[in-house]
Amino acid sequence: MLEETFSEYFLCNFNDAVHPEDLPADGRLRKLWMSEDLWTLEEIKLIIKRWQEERGKEPLEGRGEELLNDFLQLIFAFVQNNFTGPFDRLTSCTEMLYSLQLDNCDPLEQLKASGEELNPNVKTAELLLIAKQILDALIAAHPTSKLLIWWRLRLICLHQHILDDLASALYEEFKVAAEDLHGHLEAFATKELQALLLIELANGYLQFHRSDLACQKLDQVCSHLQVELQVEGLLGMRTKFQQKALPQLCLKVVQQQQSEEQEQGLPTAKLSNAQTTLPQLLLLEDDTRLERIRFIEPQDNEVMTLPSVLQALVLAKVKQLKRSQPKDRLADEQLEPYTQTLLYQEHGPLQVRQAALLLNCHQESGQRRTVERSWKQCEECVKLLDTAERHPLRTRLSYGFAAFLQPKWQVQLQLVDLLRSLGMTKTALDICLQIHAWEQVIECYTSLELRHKAAEIIRQELEKNPTALLYCLLGDATDDPQCYEQAWQHSKQTSGKAQAYWGNFFYRRAEYAQAIEHYEQSLEINSLQESILLRCGYSAIQLERWEVAVKCYLAYTHLEANGFESWNNLGKALIKLGDKPRAHRLLGESLKCNYSNWKVWENYMLVSVDTSHWEDAMRAYQRLGELKQHYLDEEVLTRIVYGIARQMQSDSISQAASSSLQRRVAQLLGQQCVQHGNEPMVWELAALVAVTPLKKAEHLVKSYRAYTAKQMGWETKSAHAKKALSLCLEVAELSQAAIKEHAADESEGMITSQLNSSRLAATSCLNALKRASLVEVPKEQQTQMDELEQQLTELTKIVQQRMQRTT
């Protein structure tokens, strides 16, 4: 186990269960945990001045804890001013930083990452910049400290939050820190800290849209804490007048060692957040819908009391599920039991409750009976950020980094979306102007049919404080491509966003070659741009530049694994490049995202046939039959049957696999015969896979009947006549072969019946051909007719003998 330089209490999870006597003797750390204010303006001012004087010098021995304490105060001040609130000291803090006239401290430039600029709403960014510098110095002095690496991880996530888009440079930094921490979980003594670290890792991966990696970390948390999150279906009522109980989803958090909770290091939420007054879910007050689901069993209506760490785990899990599932009503219903469990906890971290309320707002915003509560609840969440009386900063930071902190403007943007969905566009516009959300400003003005006003507003802002984003938005508002070039030059050719907007200009005009040129430049600067990867891939497909399409769609599927179109297009591009085995595998991934899209199933079927994956081809064919009425593809069926026949004759297939294929293809063709009994090819293929001569003959007789019914006037056309004759000849031979070679369940009566059917088919065929007024019968056809005459004579003789024997 690594020896940690600093006390674990420097992680500042602010657990109310910690008592003064539990803390180390360090006075600064005790003050941080016990004083009323985590920071003051005077302290921040002294810290900055001291750092400006000492920067560049080697940290003095024994000053590590002092520097770490300075770092924490700067971070807490920055987080309060931008994330948690209250914002009562924001103005004075901004004025103090301005008065210091900091040299060589330009956060707008120094905090850029992968060409992404800071969001215009970021306040006191100098605090974050100086905190990063102090942390780098601390890590250089104490390279083995995993606590410092954990804080670096938190800073990377905070940094990403204040950028408008994902930055690939930050993700690379995050990966390094995450791998380091994950390999040294034992550096932290308690299970609670280890679980919190894994939850923060999962939240970080989610922030960078790596849902699969986040899921792995959350599964590890469950295993580590010996808990299981189970969603069960229980009978219950959702409405006041419901007469019959229906299955409703409910979350059960199963702890394998519930009686040893304290030994697991998980204090109850009542202990860890004793001083936290949680905001409550507003009453629905609907005349039909109940406030919450009422289950039939009384014990199911009691909400499980979860420790604070498990509440953070449930929150992380619901966010991971939300990220990894399609955005529809069914997915919201699957997420509902998680949020409901969090919303009715009596005690817990404030940030977990705030995040759960916002998630619930999003889920209820699409329902007529709950949309009004959703809007009002979101307004309450915004107000909570600026309410200083009820929730001090320590309470707001309790388990805050494990609860996926959100900047204030992101919460306000959620409110904007709700207002716009309710038609309150002018109110939404006022908020957008307040938080400088210029893209939403343009959308609001467009909805109000005042698009020219958007251009005026943006020009005014450009005069005050020009940015690459404002130039780009002006280009969108005026359709002037020179604005994008101005944005590119203004950023000193470092803004991937400028190139992306420039590419979008050409993309909207279907000028794909020029669009790709700008998109590729943008992706070189910042590769984590989902929409640009999709558009670049689509443009490449239109121009048949398959290598570029594969590169873009492959990168996109790493970011968003649940978009079936991206998987489908990636498969198409690989097919065009001739890499069909890989295309088959990727189209299989596409089906996981959209099980009901017939186009994807058809592509998957064709690639499966080309790559000899017969089981997959048959599964896809059967699914297409479910999705499309009267679906029939004779060419594919033929390739499947003959392909399986060749594979079964080879030595490379086992007996079990051969039997499985035989059974599967017989089942498929049986279904096709029922659905398409008037198609002769289907019966022919069924005859090919039949096991005994009798079964083959039965299918071929039906094929002959379907063929002669489908091909009108077949007897007058030589090619069709030859086909009918060959079918009758094969039926005659197989019927006679069935006398000696038949299964145990095939009786003599069945064989006689088939011989008679064969005789009747041959008779009808010959009679039809004789009636046809052909001037000259082709030699080959005449030979077949003579042969069938002989077979008919033989069949008649055999049938008569068998009939006499039975009598």
Side-chain angles (χ1 to χ4, degrees):
M1 180 173 174
L2 290 173
E3 184 176 347
E4 178 54 56
T5 309
F6 300 98
S7 167
E8 64 186 35
Y9 292 102
F10 276 112
L11 287 168
C12 297
N13 292 313
F14 295 123
N15 186 334
D16 290 344
V18 175
H19 301 291
E21 56 270 20
D22 300 327
L23 296 168
D26 182 84
R28 288 177 296 268
L29 185 58
R30 282 176 171 267
K31 181 182 177 183
L32 200 62
W33 273 76
M34 297 302 163
S35 64
E36 186 175 344
D37 289 325
L38 295 181
W39 62 277
T40 64
L41 284 173
E42 292 74 18
E43 288 174 332
I44 295 293
K45 189 172 184 178
L46 286 173
I47 290 169
I48 294 174
K49 283 184 175 181
R50 188 163 59 240
W51 176 250
Q52 290 293 96
E53 293 170 1
E54 297 176 357
R55 188 182 176 193
K57 301 176 184 178
E58 289 294 325
L60 299 176
E61 289 296 330
R63 289 198 53 220
E65 291 185 348
E66 179 187 345
L67 277 174
L68 183 53
N69 184 74
D70 292 348
F71 160 80
L72 291 174
Q73 290 191 62
L74 292 172
I75 286 298
F76 294 154
F78 176 76
V79 170
Q80 178 176 344
N81 291 336
N82 292 278
F83 291 82
T84 64
F87 308 107
D88 51 344
R89 291 184 282 179
L90 175 57
T91 303
S92 55
C93 191
T94 305
E95 291 172 354
M96 180 270 292
L97 289 171
Y98 181 76
S99 67
L100 287 176
Q101 296 182 345
L102 300 173
D103 297 326
N104 301 320
C105 184
D106 184 3
L108 293 179
E109 285 297 324
Q110 291 172 272
L111 290 176
K112 275 186 179 179
S114 300
E116 294 298 329
E117 298 175 330
L118 296 187
N119 186 282
N121 294 286
V122 178
K123 309 297 183 185
T124 63
E126 294 87 351
L127 300 178
L128 178 64
L129 181 58
I130 296 170
K132 283 172 68 72
Q133 295 168 359
I134 294 175
L135 184 61
D136 289 341
L138 280 167
I139 291 175
H142 305 281
T144 61
S145 173
K146 300 309 166 190
L147 183 141
L148 295 178
I149 301 298
W150 192 340
W151 270 111
R152 170 172 277 178
L153 187 90
R154 289 174 170 179
L155 250 63
I156 292 169
C157 293
L158 289 176
H159 191 176
Q160 179 58 68
H161 272 306
I162 63 175
L163 300 177
D164 283 328
D165 286 306
L166 296 181
S168 54
L170 288 181
Y171 180 59
E172 294 304 317
E173 292 180 25
F174 176 86
K175 282 197 298 184
V176 172
E179 289 168 6
D180 190 357
L181 287 169
H182 190 260
H184 295 94
L185 279 176
E186 72 282 357
F188 306 98
T190 65
K191 276 195 170 184
E192 181 184 37
L193 281 178
Q194 293 170 3
L196 284 172
L197 173 55
L198 290 170
I199 291 170
E200 288 189 33
L201 289 175
N203 285 337
Y205 280 119
L206 276 179
Q207 191 175 357
F208 289 101
H209 297 184
R210 296 299 198 270
S211 181
D212 291 341
L213 291 173
C215 185
Q216 292 174 18
K217 296 294 177 288
L218 294 176
D219 289 343
Q220 192 173 348
V221 177
C222 292
S223 174
H224 189 69
L225 297 178
Q226 296 183 320
V227 300
E228 188 176 354
L229 306 182
Q230 297 179 350
V231 177
E232 301 176 354
L234 303 173
L235 290 177
M237 308 286 195
R238 190 177 283 270
T239 63
K240 295 177 181 178
F241 309 108
Q242 191 172 334
Q243 299 295 316
K244 181 181 178 183
L246 297 173
Q248 311 289 343
L249 295 179
C250 177
L251 177 68
K252 300 288 185 183
V253 182
V254 181
Q255 293 177 298
Q256 296 176 8
Q257 298 180 357
Q258 291 182 7
S259 61
E260 301 177 10
E261 188 175 80
Q262 296 299 327
E263 291 183 16
Q264 290 182 343
L266 296 183
T268 63
K270 190 172 183 179
L271 287 175
S272 59
N273 294 98
Q275 301 175 23
T276 305
T277 304
L278 294 176
Q280 300 300 311
L281 180 66
L282 297 179
L283 293 177
L284 183 60
E285 297 179 343
D286 186 69
D287 57 357
T288 301
R289 190 164 176 173
L290 293 168
E291 291 292 337
R292 53 183 290 197
I293 296 171
R294 186 173 67 241
F295 294 104
I296 297 299
E297 298 296 329
Q299 66 270 20
D300 294 327
N301 291 306
E302 299 175 6
V303 178
M304 286 188 68
T305 301
L306 300 179
S308 297
V309 176
L310 291 188
Q311 291 186 40
L313 169 62
V314 172
L315 176 65
K317 186 61 181 178
V318 71
K319 284 185 172 289
Q320 184 267 327
L321 291 173
K322 183 177 176 62
R323 177 72 203 169
S324 61
Q325 291 183 350
K327 298 172 179 60
D328 55 26
R329 176 63 191 137
L330 179 60
D332 284 342
E333 287 186 4
Q334 293 172 340
L335 301 179
E336 188 177 343
Y338 293 89
T339 53
Q340 293 299 307
T341 300
L342 293 175
L343 290 173
Y344 291 104
Q345 296 292 317
E346 291 185 15
H347 301 278
L350 177 66
Q351 292 303 325
V352 171
R353 175 58 60 88
Q354 175 87 331
L357 286 169
L358 289 170
L359 274 172
N360 192 64
C361 290
H362 186 274
Q363 290 168 15
E364 292 188 342
S365 62
Q367 302 175 51
R368 178 174 57 85
R369 293 188 178 276
T370 56
V371 65
E372 186 176 353
R373 175 170 71 173
S374 172
W375 154 51
K376 291 179 179 178
Q377 188 76 66
C378 196
E379 276 192 330
E380 290 297 316
C381 289
V382 174
K383 290 176 184 176
L384 176 68
L385 293 173
D386 208 11
T387 305
E389 295 78 19
R390 293 174 56 195
H391 305 291
L393 180 58
R394 182 179 289 101
T395 299
R396 294 168 188 257
L397 286 173
S398 178
Y399 297 94
F401 291 99
F404 207 84
L405 287 172
Q406 279 187 286
K408 178 186 178 181
W409 58 88
Q410 289 187 5
V411 181
Q412 290 173 304
L413 280 175
Q414 185 171 338
L415 177 59
V416 165
D417 290 339
L418 281 167
L419 290 169
R420 291 183 62 196
S421 68
L422 290 168
M424 302 165 70
T425 308
K426 288 187 178 180
T427 308
L429 177 60
D430 291 339
I431 298 175
C432 291
L433 291 170
Q434 178 188 344
I435 62 174
H436 309 295
W438 304 120
E439 293 182 67
Q440 286 77 14
V441 166
I442 293 175
E443 292 172 4
C444 288
Y445 274 126
T446 303
S447 299
L448 296 170
E449 299 182 356
L450 295 170
R451 197 178 180 198
H452 62 282
K453 287 282 291 181
E456 291 176 15
I457 294 287
I458 293 171
R459 285 194 178 97
Q460 291 172 16
E461 291 298 319
L462 276 170
E463 291 175 3
K464 299 177 192 175
N465 183 25
T467 65
L469 176 60
L470 285 172
Y471 279 117
C472 291
L473 293 175
L474 181 62
D476 282 358
T478 60
D479 291 328
D480 183 1
Q482 290 185 350
C483 294
Y484 309 119
E485 188 172 359
Q486 286 179 288
W488 179 240
Q489 297 304 329
H490 176 79
S491 70
K492 300 176 183 177
Q493 301 184 354
T494 62
S495 173
K497 193 181 293 289
Q499 288 292 339
Y501 274 84
W502 207 345
N504 289 340
F505 174 80
F506 293 110
Y507 180 86
R508 290 192 294 268
R509 286 158 179 74
E511 298 175 20
Y512 298 119
Q514 290 173 283
I516 289 177
E517 182 181 338
H518 291 290
Y519 285 153
E520 287 182 331
Q521 286 190 60
S522 178
L523 292 169
E524 282 178 15
I525 297 169
N526 183 10
S527 59
L528 300 184
Q529 300 181 79
E530 295 180 11
S531 61
I532 302 307
L533 286 168
L534 278 179
R535 291 182 177 183
C536 188
Y538 177 80
S539 301
I541 284 180
Q542 298 304 306
L543 298 176
E544 299 186 1
R545 292 170 59 176
W546 308 115
E547 295 87 353
V548 176
V550 167
K551 180 181 176 182
C552 291
Y553 283 118
L554 196 58
Y556 178 80
T557 53
H558 288 314
L559 289 172
E560 179 54 77
N562 295 289
F564 82 94
E565 290 180 346
S566 55
W567 287 110
N568 195 41
N569 289 343
L570 177 57
K572 176 181 178 180
L574 287 169
I575 291 170
K576 294 294 184 180
L577 288 174
D579 193 352
K580 291 183 179 179
R582 193 175 173 199
H584 170 262
R585 186 173 68 255
L586 294 175
L587 284 171
E589 291 294 325
S590 175
L591 293 173
K592 296 178 183 177
C593 310
N594 192 333
Y595 196 72
S596 301
N597 189 293
W598 68 268
K599 293 181 181 178
V600 184
W601 278 107
E602 189 168 61
N603 289 342
Y604 184 62
M605 178 183 70
L606 295 174
V607 174
S608 298
V609 168
D610 288 340
T611 55
S612 300
H613 288 86
W614 307 117
E615 285 278 3
D616 292 336
M618 289 186 283
R619 181 166 64 92
Y621 193 99
Q622 193 165 4
R623 179 61 180 157
L624 280 166
E626 296 169 1
L627 295 173
K628 300 180 72 176
Q629 285 189 341
H630 311 299
Y631 179 78
L632 177 66
D633 191 322
E634 292 182 352
E635 182 183 353
V636 169
L637 277 177
T638 303
R639 291 185 64 183
I640 289 174
V641 170
Y642 281 95
I644 289 175
R646 284 194 301 271
Q647 188 166 328
M648 290 172 63
Q649 291 171 3
S650 68
D651 298 331
S652 60
I653 187 170
S654 66
Q655 183 65 34
S658 176
S659 300
S660 174
L661 280 175
Q662 175 79 20
R663 185 169 57 254
R664 186 77 179 79
V665 72
Q667 179 187 0
L668 173 65
L669 287 168
Q671 293 171 345
Q672 296 303 303
C673 289
V674 172
Q675 295 172 5
H676 307 286
N678 57 346
E679 294 294 337
M681 179 57 74
V682 173
W683 288 108
E684 273 195 77
L685 294 173
L688 280 173
V689 301
V691 179
T692 63
L694 180 63
K695 293 293 184 187
K696 291 178 183 288
E698 287 176 352
H699 291 326
L700 285 178
V701 165
K702 293 176 180 176
S703 176
Y704 164 76
R705 292 171 183 165
Y707 186 81
T708 53
K710 186 175 181 180
Q711 302 293 340
M712 300 299 294
W714 61 272
E715 64 275 14
T716 61
K717 300 171 185 175
S718 179
H720 292 168
K722 290 177 184 177
K723 177 66 177 177
L725 285 166
S726 64
L727 285 172
C728 289
L729 285 168
E730 193 170 358
V731 169
E733 292 171 3
L734 289 168
S735 300
Q736 293 176 57
I739 298 172
K740 296 180 180 180
E741 183 184 347
H742 58 268
D745 59 342
E746 294 175 346
S747 64
E748 290 296 322
M750 293 169 64
I751 297 171
T752 303
S753 176
Q754 177 54 40
L755 286 165
N756 206 33
S757 295
S758 176
R759 182 180 64 80
L760 291 174
T763 303
S764 67
C765 180
L766 289 171
N767 289 339
L769 289 171
K770 289 174 182 177
R771 286 195 302 270
S773 55
L774 289 177
V775 177
E776 182 179 355
V777 177
K779 184 178 180 182
E780 186 178 349
Q781 180 179 329
Q782 186 61 52
T783 304
Q784 286 181 304
M785 290 177 66
D786 294 342
E787 188 177 346
L788 186 58
E789 288 277 9
Q790 295 174 9
Q791 290 283 3
L792 178 60
T793 304
E794 184 67 23
L795 283 169
T796 304
K797 181 179 177 183
I798 293 171
V799 169
Q800 288 175 349
Q801 291 174 352
R802 292 177 72 86
M803 294 293 289
Q804 289 172 0
R805 195 184 311 151
T806 56
T807 57

